[in-house]
Amino acid sequence: MKTLGIYIHIPFCIQKCLYCDFLSFPKGRQEQTLYFDALKKEIETSAEECRDYEVVSVFFGGGTPTSVDPQHIVEIMKILKKFYNLRENAEITIECNPGTADATALREYHEAGINRISIGLQSANDEELKRLGRIHNLRQFEECYKNAREAGFVNVNVDLMSALPGQSVEDWERNLKYVCGLNPKPEHISAYSLIIEEGTPFYQIYEGEAAQIEKNGVVITGDNKDEYPPLPDEDSEREMYHRTGEILGANGYHRYEISNYAMNSEGEAANVGTAGPLDDDGGKYECLHNKRYWQGGDYIGFGLGAASLFNGERFHNTSDFRKYLEASGTPEKQDAERLDTAAQMEEFMFLGLRMISGVSAGEFKNKFGQSIEDVYGEIFAELISEDLMVREGDTIRLTDKGLDVSNYCMAKFLI
């Protein structure tokens, strides 16, 4: 049976962070109820076209899924179990911001069948959290983490963000060491670098534009720039990147994707081996759902603006809240595109090379009926000569040097 990942978008949040460009916003309880009615209809309506698939992963993302009444999430879990072929040990994740889920809610999520939780700490420094516009502090994170463990979660991810305003390399090292010192340690750590996205308050601040954004009652313009600490320079950001791997590696984590680290299972060596097949966990705590994105597996998104790659077609739902509600469970596909062979090859390479284990030449041949060398041989030779890529038997992967300049390397594979 073919396999499938499901993404469920919960667009609600209590307050939008200064760096956030995700499709999310605060809404009242009445609007939330209307949204979940439409979302449940969409999930039920789509069950028939998914009946030949085994669902191996589910991911509740946002927004902040834990900011809504937990019963909404529980009801969706009931629908998934009733109408979809859920694998017995399917990975089911919910994103959680500290301060938005109490002990009772966390127990309800776990009892409903959610077995993985991703907690958005971002920083263990309260001052850094304030600069980001986060609504929680370190004490609230610690309470959330404790409650998640007591609720029964044995697969916990913690999100961290580096290169924050005013952050030094030493500040970042303290954040990493703090998370590694949690008892028990999180099974997974996502360590991302802050990206200043257009349209966010941080973009207005750090790009110095004259346009204004009102955020939480404060008008932010480029003229406010001097009121915010500067971003770390390029050398400091690069040092943070390297220290991440060193510190997490020393604490029992292996990097399996550019920004993601999983705890080594008992007896498991650091994962730098061959590229594994789709749906192979590769390591007990590697995020199976996100690996589907990087390995080109089918996934379907439900909810406002949710994206899908299903049966060779890429599309997404409308991002218009009112139109989504009016669709009565059948939102129109937006920007539908059937990927031709060239586009599929491109994605196979530039997404697959995000994985530390790289891509498989044999899998490429099975998928496309062509030798990977016939298509990309010249590019391989160039990158290998620059010590940015290595070929080991069936596996082609970026070296540590190549991972440092991954955007440059991946751009080479756009046919």
Side-chain angles (χ1 to χ4, degrees):
M1 180 177 285
K2 296 178 289 187
T3 60
L4 181 69
I6 290 177
Y7 174 79
I8 299 173
H9 189 62
I10 312 299
F12 308 113
C13 57
I14 294 174
Q15 174 179 295
K16 203 171 180 73
C17 300
L18 298 178
Y19 59 85
C20 179
D21 72 331
F22 294 146
L23 180 58
S24 61
F25 37 75
K27 288 287 185 182
R29 296 180 74 87
Q30 183 176 2
E31 290 169 305
Q32 290 182 12
T33 298
L34 291 173
Y35 177 78
F36 277 98
D37 286 345
L39 178 60
K40 287 183 284 187
K41 285 180 183 178
E42 183 190 5
I43 296 172
E44 289 187 21
T45 302
S46 299
E48 177 60 25
E49 65 178 330
C50 298
R51 64 186 175 88
D52 293 330
Y53 288 81
E54 181 185 34
V55 177
V56 297
S57 68
V58 178
F59 196 102
F60 289 88
T64 308
T66 51
S67 69
V68 303
D69 187 330
Q71 285 306 304
H72 289 311
I73 306 297
V74 171
E75 289 170 7
I76 288 177
M77 284 299 302
K78 291 179 180 177
I79 291 172
L80 291 174
K81 291 176 181 178
K82 180 178 180 180
F83 292 101
Y84 289 79
N85 300 314
L86 271 180
R87 179 179 286 182
E88 184 178 356
N89 62 340
E91 175 194 270
I92 305 177
T93 303
I94 189 168
E95 290 185 331
C96 172
N97 280 356
T100 62
D102 59 20
T104 299
L106 291 167
R107 284 196 301 271
E108 290 177 350
Y109 299 140
H110 192 263
E111 290 170 359
I114 297 173
N115 53 30
R116 184 176 184 271
I117 189 166
S118 179
I119 306 177
L121 170 58
Q122 312 307 351
S123 172
N125 181 303
D126 283 344
E127 187 59 37
E128 289 179 349
L129 291 172
K130 288 179 183 178
R131 292 172 192 161
L132 291 173
R134 302 290 289 179
I135 64 170
H136 73 274
N137 56 35
L138 183 59
R139 181 193 60 77
Q140 289 173 306
F141 164 78
E142 291 173 343
E143 183 72 11
C144 180
Y145 190 84
K146 176 180 71 71
N147 288 339
R149 291 301 193 183
E150 292 178 352
F153 285 98
V154 295
N155 192 352
V156 178
N157 171 64
V158 173
D159 277 346
L160 282 174
M161 188 178 291
S162 64
L164 307 183
Q167 187 179 60
S168 67
V169 173
E170 292 74 23
D171 292 333
W172 174 238
E173 291 175 341
R174 280 190 287 271
N175 286 341
L176 290 169
K177 291 175 182 177
Y178 168 81
V179 173
C180 291
L182 292 169
N183 186 21
K185 290 181 182 180
E187 286 71 26
H188 190 282
I189 296 174
S190 296
Y192 300 97
S193 178
L194 172 66
I195 298 175
I196 305 299
E197 299 284 4
E198 190 170 356
T200 65
F202 267 4
Y203 187 86
Q204 305 297 336
I205 295 166
Y206 288 104
E207 297 299 323
E209 292 189 347
Q212 297 184 354
I213 286 181
E214 183 171 344
K215 183 67 180 174
N216 306 327
V218 178
V219 175
I220 297 175
T221 72
D223 297 333
N224 298 114
K225 188 171 183 177
D226 292 340
E227 300 176 18
Y228 291 81
L231 297 172
D233 59 35
E234 187 174 329
D235 288 342
S236 296
E237 186 171 355
R238 184 172 295 275
E239 180 65 15
M240 292 178 189
Y241 172 81
H242 288 297
R243 290 297 289 147
T244 302
E246 293 169 359
I247 291 173
L248 295 185
N251 280 275
Y253 295 88
H254 66 268
R255 181 166 68 157
Y256 67 98
E257 190 270 344
I258 289 175
S259 301
N260 286 275
Y261 298 77
M263 181 184 289
N264 298 332
S265 303
E266 185 177 354
E268 175 190 333
N271 183 16
V272 294
T274 58
L278 187 64
D279 303 322
D280 174 20
D281 62 8
K284 183 176 180 182
Y285 299 113
E286 294 176 9
C287 180
L288 183 61
H289 187 80
N290 284 342
K291 286 171 70 173
R292 295 194 70 81
Y293 297 146
W294 304 320
Q295 294 179 315
D298 280 319
Y299 60 89
I300 190 164
F302 298 125
L304 190 69
S308 301
L309 176 59
F310 188 65
N311 282 335
E313 185 177 42
R314 187 179 298 284
F315 57 92
H316 64 84
N317 286 346
T318 178
S319 298
D320 185 299
F321 189 77
R322 186 54 51 190
K323 286 183 179 179
Y324 181 77
L325 296 186
E326 292 172 350
S328 298
T330 56
E332 182 181 353
K333 294 179 181 178
Q334 304 284 310
D335 300 325
E337 174 192 10
R338 185 154 294 278
L339 301 181
D340 60 20
T341 300
Q344 291 180 53
M345 287 179 177
E346 289 177 0
E347 293 203 354
F348 182 93
M349 296 305 298
F350 71 71
L351 291 177
L353 287 173
R354 293 187 60 90
M355 303 288 292
I356 304 306
S357 57
V359 298
S360 162
E363 185 180 351
F364 186 95
K365 181 68 176 290
N366 291 337
K367 190 176 181 71
F368 303 114
Q370 299 183 59
S371 164
I372 198 169
E373 287 83 3
D374 289 345
V375 181
Y376 293 115
E378 292 183 5
I379 297 173
F380 292 161
E382 178 186 349
L383 294 178
I384 290 172
S385 71
E386 297 174 358
D387 193 29
L388 301 177
M389 176 175 281
V390 64
R391 174 73 184 261
E392 298 171 333
D394 181 65
T395 299
I396 299 150
R397 63 178 178 85
L398 297 181
T399 62
D400 287 343
K401 182 179 176 182
L403 290 168
D404 282 352
V405 290
S406 58
N407 288 340
Y408 165 79
C409 295
M410 293 170 187
K412 296 283 186 180
F413 294 94
L414 300 178
I415 298 175

